[in-house]
Amino acid sequence: MQTMKTYTVIVSRKAVSDIDGISTYVAKIYRPDSGHKFVNRILGQLASLSYTADIYQKSPYTFARNIHPDAKSVPIIHHRWTVVFHTERQYVMIDRIIPSKMMM
């Protein structure tokens, strides 16, 4: 029986900066606590990559592959944002979180 591989999720400095920017953006449009709630949703989806990272194929998008040659990408939050990540040994490295419209 094959066991499911689990990874440790690591968020890069650029991705942390992206999350901060998203939080500020959402807080300005709605309410300050909305930014925090939105970030919590993002963090929950990032955490799920610890056991789902292997189901994603290498990204077909040049933009993602420019971030990392082995980049994978997954849309989150109603396909408005895209997480660009790669796996390395026992780690899922979150490289960036960008607006999905940049992936076209």
Side-chain angles (χ1 to χ4, degrees):
M1 178 182 236
Q2 194 175 34
T3 61
M4 182 170 53
K5 185 171 183 177
T6 57
Y7 295 92
T8 300
V9 177
I10 297 176
V11 182
S12 72
R13 288 183 181 157
K14 286 185 179 183
V16 169
S17 178
D18 295 337
I19 291 170
D20 289 342
I22 293 168
S23 175
T24 301
Y25 172 75
V26 170
K28 283 182 183 178
I29 292 177
Y30 301 103
R31 299 183 326 233
D33 66 323
S34 297
H36 296 294
K37 290 177 184 176
F38 202 81
V39 167
N40 285 337
R41 288 178 59 196
I42 291 172
L43 293 175
Q45 292 191 347
L46 295 182
S48 73
L49 287 173
S50 69
Y51 54 90
T52 62
D54 285 337
I55 67 171
Y56 298 102
Q57 300 296 315
K58 196 170 174 179
S59 181
Y61 300 108
T62 303
F63 190 88
R65 288 191 316 270
N66 285 337
I67 294 170
H68 192 277
D70 295 323
K72 297 179 178 187
S73 58
V74 59
I76 60 169
I77 315 290
H78 305 293
H79 296 274
R80 291 198 173 115
W81 301 95
T82 298
V83 176
V84 178
F85 68 98
H86 68 279
T87 56
E88 215 171 281
R89 295 183 304 275
Q90 72 269 21
Y91 301 105
V92 171
M93 309 293 288
I94 308 297
D95 298 306
R96 297 291 307 268
I97 301 171
I98 56 176
S100 291
K101 64 183 176 184
M102 292 178 70
M103 296 302 284
M104 295 181 181

